[in-house]
Each structure stands twice: as C-alpha cells, then as structure tokens.
Amino acid sequence: MLELRLVQGSLLKKVLESIKDLVNDANFDCSATGFSLQAMDSSHVALVALLLRSEGFEHYRCDRNISMGMNLGNMSKMLKCAGNDDIITIKADDGSDTVTFMFESPTQDKIADFEMKLMDIDSEHLGIPEAEYHAIVRMPSTEFARICKDLSSIGDSVVISVTKEGVKFSTRGDIGTANIVCRQNTTVDKACSCHIHLPEEATVIEMNEPVTLTFALRYMNSFTKATPLSNTVTISLSSDLPVVVEYKIAEMGYVRFYLAPKIEEDGEEEDKPKPLTD
Amino acid sequence: MLELRLVQGSLLKKVLESIKDLVNDANFDCSATGFSLQAMDSSHVALVALLLRSEGFEHYRCDRNISMGMNLGNMSKMLKCAGNDDIITIKADDGSDTVTFMFESPTQDKIADFEMKLMDIDSEHLGIPEAEYHAIVRMPSTEFARICKDLSSIGDSVVISVTKEGVKFSTRGDIGTANIVCRQNTTVDKACSCHIHLPEEATVIEMNEPVTLTFALRYMNSFTKATPLSNTVTISLSSDLPVVVEYKIAEMGYVRFYLAPKIEEDGEEEDKPKPLTD
DNA sequence: GAATATGGTA
DNA sequence: TACCATATTC
C-alpha cells in the first residue's frame, strides 16, 4: 500500500514538466526515504535524478519498496488536470498494475481521481558517486535559462569556463560567436540594502581550480525546463566528469541533470555527445 | 426596416465566438420579441438556440418578422472589427439581401459600417418543448470548461452522474480513467463571510431523481466556447432527453446548446452520436 | 496570480 | 480552421 499526500501539488506538476521532454518512460522508486526516479534520456546521453523526500509530504505511507513504471507523457497529461493549488495524493495498492492520482481542490469542492496503467520498464539504476567538483556555480535559474536559450540561437554547443572572477558561457556558430560572462557578485551586502539583488539573485562561485568544459546546448535547454522549480540553479563542473545541473525543490529534494562534456574536437561536427554509459 | 442598437457590443462578439465553430450558416430571426437563432451544428448532432430579447437593446425597431440567413464565419469576421467597447447596430432594409453592422467607438470618434450579403438557408425550426428535467446543475462556467478540457485529454466521452451530493464527470481512455466530483456546495453562508466562495462560484444542484448520461466531449468542449458570456453555466439532464447547456446573457437572454446522450454501447466504439432529429 | 489576447502549430 | 502555448495586462 502506497499513499503519498503532497499539499503543494504544483511541485509534482512542475517536476513532470521538467523531465517529460527528456525521458519517455521511467520507474518511480518509492521507499521509506522518499519518492525518487533515475532515468537516462531517450538518446542515452543525459541522466535525470529526482528525489522527493518523505518528510516533504504531508502524509507518506509506503509499506514496502516499490518501483512503478510510468509513461511520463501520460502522467503529465493527468497532472495537467490538477489545479495549481490542488493537493495531490499518489496511491497504489500492493500488486496493482495501476497508480491513482487524486486531486483535491483547496476548498474540497472538487475531488478528482485519475487512474493510470503502469508499465514494465527495465532500467539500470546507476550508482552516482558523490564527486568533488572543481567548480560549483550557483546562479539565478532564470538567468541560466536565458543564457542557454540565447546562445542556442547562435551555436549548438556551449563552452562553460569558470574562474574565480566569474563564469563564462561561449558559443560559436555560422553567423558569429557569443560570450556571456557572469561575474561573481561581490556586493551582496549593498545589494540587500537597495532591494534589487537578493542573495538568491546573485551568482556565487565555489572554485577549487579553473575548469573549461563544452556541452550540447540542446540538452542544457531541456534541463532549463526545470526553472520553475527553483529560483536558483547549481552547476557543478569537473574535467571529464558529467556536469550536474541541479534545481533544488524546497523542503523536499531536487531534480538533477547529468550530462557528459563534449570532447573537444579540433576537427568538425561530431554531433553525437558521449553517452554517460558505454 | 430593422434597426437594433446594442450598447454592449462585446456581447454579440462573444455570442458569435461561441457558436461559429459549431454552426456554419444560420438564420437569425428577428421579431418584436427579440433577436434569435436556432440551428443544428454541421453534423446534425447538436443544436444551438440563441435569444437576445428586445428589452436588452438600447433601441429596437423591427417592423415585421424577418429571417436573415448569415454565414457565421463571415459575420464573426466582421464583428471582430468592432472594438470591445463599441456600440453595435444591426440594420437591414426591407427586402434587402444585405445586413449592415455599424460600430461606434465609445467616444464617437470612429464609426464603421460593414455590409454583409445574406444567404438563403432553409432551416427547420424545431419547437423545443420546455421539459421537466431530472436534474439541473449550476456551476461556475470556467470550472465546467476546465473539466471538459481535462477529461478530453483522457477520453472521448464524459459520463455525467448527478446525485444529491454532487455531480460526477467521468471518462475512460487508453491511458487510464478519470473521475471528477463536484460536491454541491452546502456552505454558501460560511463561504460568503470568508470571501472565498461567492454564490456564483458554488455548485448548486436541483434534483428530482438521480440521472446518469453519456456525452461526446468534443461537443461539450465546443459548448464551453460560450464561457466568456457568463460566470455560470446550467446543465439540465434527463434520461433520454438531450442535455441542455445554458449560458445566460445578462439582461438579454441566453445561448443554449442541446446534445443527445450517447447510447450506452456495451460493445465498442460507435463514434456517431445519435442525431437530435431523425 | 489570473484572465485575456495573440500568434504559432497541427 | 481549431487548438495550444505563450505573452501580456489587470
């Protein structure tokens, strides 16, 4: 028996909007710890990891560990039927091949239940080691989204370079080149007093050593679908490690996207990024 | 000679937006009583009835009963040229094969007249008997629209069940099933005082006996195009009678949509709904 | 935050 | 042509 009651249902709606374009089908894993998902994107280049900790739910009952295979497109269709203020409850009976989403309007005047068929999905659950990163950039999520969108109108790849001074996003395409530098914000104090820059709106860099890596903008732009989940995004970079783009979900967990860097080809267009798994 | 002056011209614009998708050509009937229309949709499954009473016009002159055949698409094109605050006057000379729409801007700075050719349309004017309905549901029109839209992302038909407790909208499709229950709002008093539920925002059910009927969502979604006309919608149901979905037009009349229920096929997909006329 | 208006897509 | 998604306004 599984019953997870999430008061801020819009979170789940946003989570699905953020990952459904990347992943078609995935197993949601439910345990006493929380509700989580790990899945490769359809082209096996990027990886999504979601965690919603049990503490974030108003009510969390999960009698035994269970893995529920869902088509994220269909799940998203159903969640779109929930109002943004609705309380969402996820229910599944033991051994059932369906999951039920229940939506309660804030006033309780409208109660909806949507039942969806589960699927069998075989997924390799990768253990993702906690790595030490050369550099971690935290910046406003909307700003990162804007940068990825802007750059992708010029080129296909983004070169991200981090130094103590700031982070530089560069691209190159047929029509020209572009470089966007976000300076580490050193004026947080002043910012607060003039009510323009809240700390969340600053770019903050934690750096052990400078790092420069190249990524496919196509995936970066997919990741930024998670922007509504958090005001800030964290980008963790190390040479030869997949980048981690993380959106924290308030009080509950995170959505993390992993993407392998492009190998610097001095030659030309090799459009296939390196898969995360060989 | 016909001359109807409607101060709130946006009403006529909205009326046309609400019916032009359903009906291509129709006769507008003009008499001392008012300006009305009755027409089957192009597939002869649904029926639209419009009434704008003469009292609702600032000036209403209709010397003799007249029936004017119009292409609603073209009429809508012309009405789109009226500003939302414009005063609209409909004019026709006796024996003329054209109608003129005159638009006056609130400031009288801009006066437009659009002349449209009339058409000959033979239409059977059905007498619609005033029936006693098993159940009449009144609910916020936006909520009804939302429900029809949500359900149509899951299935093609909606089963509407009314009991004293509330009204249930259900559907079933390839990806699963959905049930949305709107409880009759019994707490209108409390609601008013806490400023959340205005009476208009409550679901109210008048029921003589429980009723369960099935309808094609495609038509229901067409009907909800009339949502901008009224904050509330009234759904009148009886077994084996067409449902009536009514949007009242303030001070003037209504737009009503009639749709025959689907016959419960225990077998499979019979996509053709029963026509209202045989 | 909600509703509406507009533009793009299917 | 109709629907959806976004952008803008209240």
Side-chain angles (χ1 to χ4, degrees):
Chain A
M1 175 70 177
L2 175 84
E3 198 169 302
L4 320 182
R5 185 176 162 92
L6 180 63
V7 173
Q8 201 178 340
S10 61
L11 283 184
L12 193 63
K13 283 164 66 86
K14 287 177 190 165
V15 162
L16 257 102
E17 284 312 296
S18 77
I19 63 178
K20 74 167 207 300
D21 292 341
L22 212 52
V23 179
N24 296 127
D25 306 307
N27 284 314
F28 281 86
D29 297 312
C30 201
S31 72
T33 315
F35 192 63
S36 69
L37 169 151
Q38 199 191 86
M40 308 288 303
D41 85 293
S42 3
S43 52
H44 266 235
V45 170
L47 186 140
V48 185
L50 161 72
L51 174 62
L52 298 175
R53 288 186 207 94
S54 50
E55 305 92 79
F57 291 85
E58 192 208 30
H59 170 72
Y60 192 95
R61 176 179 170 185
C62 176
D63 295 346
R64 68 192 71 190
N65 289 2
I66 182 176
S67 185
M68 297 182 289
M70 307 198 197
N71 175 289
L72 299 193
N74 293 342
M75 181 174 172
S76 161
K77 264 191 195 172
M78 291 192 164
L79 292 181
K80 282 211 173 113
C81 302
N84 278 327
D85 301 327
D86 284 4
I87 297 167
I88 297 183
T89 304
I90 303 171
K91 290 187 200 175
D93 289 322
D94 288 330
S96 166
D97 63 344
T98 63
V99 61
T100 298
F101 303 108
M102 196 175 93
F103 310 141
E104 298 168 65
S105 73
T107 56
Q108 300 285 329
D109 288 341
K110 181 175 156 191
I111 297 182
D113 56 272
F114 286 68
E115 190 176 283
M116 188 178 77
K117 291 197 183 74
L118 294 175
M119 345 172 28
D120 262 325
I121 301 165
D122 44 58
S123 65
E124 346 87 268
H125 195 94
L126 288 78
I128 301 170
E130 282 287 326
E132 270 295 303
Y133 286 92
H134 292 168
I136 299 179
V137 176
R138 194 187 57 144
M139 64 191 296
S141 56
T142 50
E143 190 164 327
F144 178 63
R146 176 65 195 261
I147 289 168
C148 291
K149 178 171 150 280
D150 286 350
L151 292 187
S152 61
S153 76
I154 311 291
D156 298 326
S157 305
V158 57
V159 180
I160 306 182
S161 299
V162 185
T163 63
K164 260 186 309 223
E165 284 69 43
V167 52
K168 183 168 77 171
F169 302 89
S170 309
T171 192
R172 165 184 305 278
D174 294 338
I175 68 171
T177 64
N179 298 288
I180 300 174
V181 177
C182 298
R183 279 198 347 194
Q184 165 143 225
N185 202 309
T186 52
T187 52
V188 174
D189 300 334
K190 189 180 79 182
C192 283
S193 61
C194 71
H195 298 287
I196 292 178
H197 279 292
L198 302 171
E200 268 199 340
E201 288 163 352
T203 297
V204 179
I205 293 169
E206 244 178 81
M207 194 195 76
N208 297 318
E209 53 179 294
V211 58
T212 295
L213 290 166
T214 306
F215 302 97
L217 277 168
R218 181 188 149 203
Y219 292 98
M220 286 293 174
N221 273 312
S222 243
F223 302 165
T224 61
K225 294 269 169 30
T227 303
L229 278 169
S230 174
N231 289 325
T232 64
V233 61
T234 309
I235 306 160
S236 305
L237 300 140
S238 272
S239 354
D240 301 320
L241 269 189
V243 64
V244 187
V245 179
E246 170 174 311
Y247 296 84
K248 288 220 187 314
I249 301 169
E251 319 291 323
M252 293 207 71
Y254 55 76
V255 179
R256 290 181 186 151
F257 301 97
Y258 296 80
L259 178 65
K262 281 186 161 184
I263 307 306
E264 286 303 342
E265 338 111 8
D266 285 327
E268 258 329 282
E269 329 269 304
E270 180 202 339
D271 231 350
K272 275 279 172 59
K274 182 159 170 289
L276 284 173
T277 53
D278 294 290
Chain B
M1 175 71 178
L2 175 84
E3 198 169 302
L4 319 182
R5 184 177 163 90
L6 180 64
V7 174
Q8 201 179 341
S10 61
L11 282 184
L12 193 61
K13 284 164 67 86
K14 286 177 191 167
V15 163
L16 258 102
E17 285 311 297
S18 78
I19 62 178
K20 76 169 204 304
D21 292 343
L22 211 53
V23 179
N24 297 128
D25 307 307
N27 284 315
F28 281 86
D29 297 312
C30 201
S31 72
T33 316
F35 193 63
S36 68
L37 168 151
Q38 197 190 88
M40 307 288 304
D41 85 293
S42 2
S43 52
H44 267 236
V45 171
L47 187 141
V48 186
L50 161 72
L51 173 62
L52 298 175
R53 288 187 206 94
S54 50
E55 305 91 82
F57 292 85
E58 192 208 31
H59 171 71
Y60 191 96
R61 176 178 169 186
C62 175
D63 296 346
R64 70 191 71 189
N65 289 4
I66 182 176
S67 184
M68 296 182 290
M70 308 197 197
N71 175 289
L72 300 192
N74 293 340
M75 180 173 171
S76 162
K77 270 189 193 169
M78 291 194 166
L79 292 181
K80 281 208 173 118
C81 302
N84 277 326
D85 301 327
D86 285 5
I87 297 167
I88 297 183
T89 304
I90 303 170
K91 290 186 200 175
D93 288 322
D94 288 331
S96 166
D97 63 345
T98 63
V99 62
T100 299
F101 303 108
M102 196 176 91
F103 310 142
E104 299 168 63
S105 72
T107 57
Q108 299 287 328
D109 289 341
K110 181 175 154 195
I111 298 182
D113 57 273
F114 287 69
E115 190 175 281
M116 188 178 78
K117 289 204 183 68
L118 294 176
M119 339 169 36
D120 261 325
I121 301 166
D122 45 57
S123 64
E124 346 86 270
H125 195 94
L126 287 77
I128 301 170
E130 283 288 327
E132 271 295 304
Y133 287 92
H134 292 167
I136 299 178
V137 176
R138 192 185 56 136
M139 63 192 298
S141 57
T142 50
E143 190 164 325
F144 178 62
R146 175 71 196 260
I147 289 168
C148 291
K149 177 172 150 281
D150 283 349
L151 291 188
S152 62
S153 77
I154 310 291
D156 298 325
S157 306
V158 57
V159 179
I160 305 181
S161 300
V162 184
T163 63
K164 259 187 308 224
E165 284 70 42
V167 53
K168 182 168 79 172
F169 303 89
S170 308
T171 194
R172 164 183 305 276
D174 293 337
I175 69 171
T177 64
N179 300 288
I180 300 175
V181 177
C182 297
R183 281 198 343 197
Q184 163 143 227
N185 201 306
T186 51
T187 52
V188 173
D189 299 332
K190 188 179 78 181
C192 284
S193 60
C194 71
H195 298 288
I196 292 176
H197 278 293
L198 302 171
E200 267 198 341
E201 288 164 352
T203 297
V204 179
I205 293 170
E206 248 177 78
M207 194 196 76
N208 297 316
E209 55 178 293
V211 58
T212 295
L213 290 166
T214 305
F215 302 97
L217 276 167
R218 181 188 149 202
Y219 292 98
M220 286 292 174
N221 272 314
S222 243
F223 301 166
T224 61
K225 295 269 171 21
T227 303
L229 278 169
S230 174
N231 289 325
T232 63
V233 61
T234 308
I235 306 160
S236 305
L237 301 139
S238 272
S239 356
D240 302 319
L241 269 188
V243 64
V244 187
V245 179
E246 171 173 313
Y247 297 85
K248 288 220 186 315
I249 301 170
E251 319 290 325
M252 293 207 71
Y254 54 77
V255 180
R256 290 181 187 153
F257 301 97
Y258 296 80
L259 177 65
K262 280 187 162 184
I263 307 307
E264 287 303 340
E265 338 113 6
D266 284 326
E268 258 328 282
E269 329 268 304
E270 180 203 340
D271 232 349
K272 273 279 173 55
K274 181 157 173 288
L276 284 172
T277 53
D278 295 290

